[in-house]
Amino acid sequence: MWRMRLDSSTACLALEVRDPDLLLTSFYTLDTASLSLSHLDLPQTQAWWQGLEDAEHGLLYLHGYGNRQLGQHKGIAGYDEENKGKVWETAELAFYGIAKAGVLAYNPMQPEAPLQSLAPKTGMATGQSFTQQEAAEEVAHYSRTRYQDCLYPILYREGEAYFEQVRDFLREQLQVEPLQALEYAETETCLVISFYLEDTDGSLQNELAIFDLEGKLHQKVKIGSRLSGIGSDTFFIFKHNLYFILNKDILQVFRLLA
């Protein structure tokens, strides 16, 4: 499992799955209400050189590559989540983000030039343009509205005050010694913490723990092992459901206390 993106308008989860050994890439959509999984049918020779940027407005937005050696993104293609067909494509622009004004895109050959706004459903230019600072503010502002029902964890690194506080809580509750970083999210009923422990071979293992607000442990899962470093966004919460990737290849969903 390489990347997940939530379409807040349809409550569908877009998934990118890559196998670097076989050079295979697959894209899926998961209906978070029915938990039905659908596959986006693309030729494998084409799919490997595409990647998931985002999902919104009922579309998956995929990127291509300009410089494949450097991994430079170039090109945007919008695919319908329901019928899985390509709706629009632009070959010369690169995806920046989604704002109220539409899909914001830039020219990879002129990265300092103003960003353009594209209509989400058609890819046609709307005529609006934004400076880099304006684009960043527009995307951040729209994300707060877009993800109002979705909760992503906050990353705290070792040495930061909140890391120390949460580590002390885990020490007391679980008798563990978290290190390097942890991710924390709090709902009306639960505390969800993703943390790292040192394994016997010196690598890291990633564990996920769910507590109620009284500090009682309800679930603890090892979600990764033999890791060389930490990650981010190791889980997210959407409408009282907890989503996370187990061992890099299994999507699990837990229902949290409402």
Side-chain angles (χ1 to χ4, degrees):
M1 199 82 69
W2 185 260
R3 183 172 285 111
M4 292 191 298
R5 292 292 184 266
L6 178 68
D7 184 336
S8 62
S9 63
T10 64
C12 275
L13 191 64
L15 307 170
E16 177 183 351
V17 180
R18 301 183 79 88
D19 186 332
D21 295 326
L22 299 178
L23 299 182
L24 296 177
T25 304
S26 298
F27 301 95
Y28 301 89
T29 57
L30 176 71
D31 186 321
T32 60
S34 65
L35 297 182
S36 58
L37 188 68
S38 300
H39 178 241
L40 183 65
D41 189 19
L42 293 175
Q44 272 304 318
T45 53
Q46 175 185 350
W48 177 252
W49 295 112
Q50 289 188 290
L52 176 65
E53 292 280 16
D54 213 330
E56 188 70 355
H57 307 294
L59 297 180
L60 274 66
Y61 299 106
L62 306 186
H63 67 78
Y65 288 97
N67 187 319
R68 294 180 176 180
Q69 291 182 331
L70 297 178
Q72 179 194 57
H73 292 191
K74 184 179 180 182
I76 312 169
Y79 285 83
D80 189 279
E81 290 175 0
E82 290 188 1
N83 62 36
K84 307 302 180 290
K86 185 190 294 183
V87 178
W88 61 267
E89 183 174 15
T90 177
E92 299 304 319
L93 298 176
F95 182 94
Y96 179 82
I98 297 177
K100 184 178 180 180
V103 175
L104 301 191
Y106 65 95
N107 186 338
M109 305 304 294
Q110 298 177 306
E112 302 301 322
L115 287 84
Q116 301 181 38
S117 170
L118 308 179
K121 292 285 192 178
T122 66
M124 299 295 292
T126 66
Q128 288 183 278
S129 62
F130 301 87
T131 66
Q132 291 186 355
Q133 182 176 347
E134 289 171 340
E137 292 172 353
E138 289 290 323
V139 170
H141 179 74
Y142 186 65
S143 292
R144 288 192 290 271
T145 302
R146 178 183 174 193
Y147 294 128
Q148 59 185 342
D149 293 325
C150 188
L151 179 62
Y152 283 90
I154 301 174
L155 175 69
Y156 298 124
R157 296 183 181 275
E158 199 165 11
E160 297 177 353
Y162 283 114
F163 176 91
E164 309 296 338
Q165 292 180 21
V166 180
R167 181 180 64 182
D168 291 345
F169 171 78
L170 293 172
R171 279 174 174 168
E172 181 178 349
Q173 299 300 114
L174 302 179
Q175 292 75 55
V176 295
E177 190 63 31
L179 69 161
Q180 294 199 23
L182 53 83
E183 290 190 301
Y184 177 90
E186 183 175 333
T187 72
E188 299 88 346
T189 59
C190 299
L191 309 176
V192 184
I193 307 172
S194 168
F195 58 95
Y196 297 87
L197 304 175
E198 187 173 20
D199 218 333
T200 53
D201 61 359
S203 63
L204 298 175
Q205 64 183 43
N206 187 196
E207 300 206 357
L208 185 69
I210 307 169
F211 302 87
D212 63 25
L213 298 185
E214 302 296 323
K216 178 183 176 182
L217 179 68
H218 283 262
Q219 188 69 254
K220 185 164 75 73
V221 183
K222 183 190 293 186
I223 62 175
S225 58
R226 297 188 177 182
L227 305 174
S228 58
I230 65 169
S232 62
D233 291 342
T234 52
F235 68 90
F236 70 91
I237 300 165
F238 180 59
K239 293 185 177 180
H240 302 292
N241 284 338
L242 172 67
Y243 296 81
F244 61 92
I245 301 298
L246 180 66
N247 296 325
K248 298 182 180 180
D249 59 6
I250 300 174
L251 174 64
Q252 290 204 340
V253 184
F254 284 1
R255 183 68 173 174
L256 297 177
L257 297 174

